[in-house]
Amino acid sequence: MDIIQIYDEWLDLKQNINTRKRYLGYERYYSASSAGSCFKKQAFKKYNIDGTPMEERVKRLLRFGTILHSDFEQALKHHYLNNIESQDKYILFIEREVISESLNVRGHLDFAYIDKEAGLCKIIDLKSCPAYKWSKKFGRNKDKNPSFKYEMQVGTYATALSDAYSDLIVETELSLLWYNKDNSRMREELIPAGEFMTRATEYWNELNDIIKENDLNNLHHGDYNDSEVVERINEIPRDSYGTPFEGWECNYCQWESICK
């Protein structure tokens, strides 16, 4: 009996169930968690083009993140849903779907609240990382060229909530809550709300413009087969603006082998 294989097959099953539950019927939206990614990567993902299968090790890492998020979700619900004062004072969002129709983006934020009296919207997103990444973020030798994809993800959530609750929100605060997987240390990192709401909005507008300019909005599989869709997407030159934004992205992209 191969226990590792059994677990890996179970992870595939869980992923398939999660994909059907969360994304079936919402294919036209981009995912907020992919904010800042390569434009062509977004197009391949949008049209469900198969790429290189994910390594089993990576699937296990993602599963750890899912379990961690589930624990925090249950803890937050236990605390806030049993606190009458909180229910009166706040509008709570725990593992909640948010959609921005104007940006054509959909996502599931971890935790947010709107203080109805103060007009404050606070959004917190949980991220787990190994000790090395923790040291590059919080240690003495910080990363000199950090990626801001996580910040743009949270900025996307903030933009969607701001549009939906414009009559209530006066001020927005954003943060990333980091969990060190090696030693379980935790630390909250405050994010400049205005800067990353603007950067996220600009990114999604640019992506929508690129897709429209290259006539890629209607590549439905009923009209085109996968090879035709890939050929059309590859009309966007590799190494043109936004493909990719960061050179290292190609090294970890599941569509690298078909991207021209």
Side-chain angles (χ1 to χ4, degrees):
M1 180 181 294
D2 190 333
I3 299 298
I4 295 176
Q5 182 179 350
I6 290 173
Y7 184 61
D8 290 339
E9 290 174 352
W10 183 80
L11 290 182
D12 288 336
L13 175 62
K14 295 291 287 185
Q15 180 58 41
N16 289 335
I17 293 173
N18 181 68
T19 298
R20 290 197 300 271
K21 180 180 179 181
R22 283 203 171 195
Y23 303 109
L24 188 63
Y26 297 96
E27 290 84 359
R28 78 177 185 86
Y29 293 106
Y30 298 105
S31 172
S33 62
S34 65
S37 296
C38 165
F39 289 152
K40 290 183 72 172
K41 182 177 180 179
Q42 295 280 21
F44 287 129
K45 183 176 181 181
K46 178 181 177 69
Y47 291 105
N48 199 30
I49 299 300
D50 291 333
T52 304
M54 188 181 297
E55 293 181 26
E56 303 300 341
R57 177 188 63 83
V58 176
K59 293 178 185 179
R60 295 175 208 135
L61 285 171
L62 293 176
R63 181 59 183 171
F64 172 84
T66 299
I67 294 170
L68 183 64
H69 277 75
S70 178
D71 254 13
F72 272 83
E73 177 185 354
Q74 293 179 54
L76 289 165
K77 286 181 177 179
H78 175 77
H79 176 79
Y80 284 102
L81 299 184
N82 289 288
N83 188 318
I84 296 177
E85 291 184 3
S86 294
Q87 294 179 40
D88 292 338
K89 183 178 181 181
Y90 302 114
I91 299 176
L92 299 173
F93 306 87
I94 302 174
E95 192 58 36
R96 179 73 70 87
E97 175 193 71
V98 292
I99 294 177
S100 172
E101 295 290 352
S102 62
L103 300 179
N104 196 33
V105 180
R106 174 176 175 264
H108 295 80
L109 58 80
D110 292 338
F111 176 64
Y113 65 80
I114 298 174
D115 185 323
K116 291 183 283 189
E117 293 181 2
L120 172 66
C121 175
K122 177 67 180 285
I123 301 175
I124 302 173
D125 203 60
L126 176 65
K127 300 296 182 186
S128 58
C129 69
Y132 176 75
K133 183 168 184 176
W134 179 282
S135 68
K136 299 299 286 184
K137 177 165 285 292
F138 300 116
R140 293 182 179 179
N141 297 316
K142 292 183 174 61
D143 192 342
K144 295 180 180 179
N145 296 294
S147 172
F148 292 106
K149 287 183 171 63
Y150 290 156
E151 289 85 347
M152 290 175 66
Q153 176 185 354
V154 181
T156 301
Y157 295 148
T159 300
L161 282 186
S162 180
D163 291 344
Y165 294 89
S166 58
D167 57 329
L168 293 178
I169 298 175
V170 176
E171 179 184 2
T172 300
E173 292 183 0
L174 307 178
S175 70
L176 297 173
L177 181 60
W178 291 93
Y179 183 100
N180 188 319
K181 292 188 287 189
D182 291 69
N183 55 32
S184 293
R185 293 178 64 189
M186 298 188 69
R187 183 167 175 176
E188 184 176 7
E189 177 189 15
L190 299 179
I191 304 301
E195 175 185 352
F196 285 102
M197 289 174 70
T198 298
R199 289 179 63 169
T201 298
E202 291 175 348
Y203 168 79
W204 293 115
N205 283 332
E206 288 174 348
L207 172 59
N208 284 308
D209 287 344
I210 289 290
I211 295 300
K212 183 177 180 180
E213 289 169 5
N214 288 274
D215 197 26
L216 301 178
N217 272 323
N218 299 303
L219 298 182
H220 301 300
H221 290 295
D223 302 319
Y224 300 88
N225 61 40
D226 283 359
S227 62
E228 290 172 327
V229 172
V230 170
E231 183 178 349
R232 289 287 303 280
I233 293 173
N234 275 329
E235 291 177 5
I236 300 176
R238 184 164 175 166
D239 296 328
S240 60
Y241 174 71
T243 58
F245 283 100
E246 300 168 292
W248 58 262
E249 192 172 3
C250 295
N251 297 330
Y252 300 94
C253 179
Q254 66 188 99
W255 295 283
E256 197 277 336
S257 63
I258 62 173
C259 182
K260 307 297 182 183

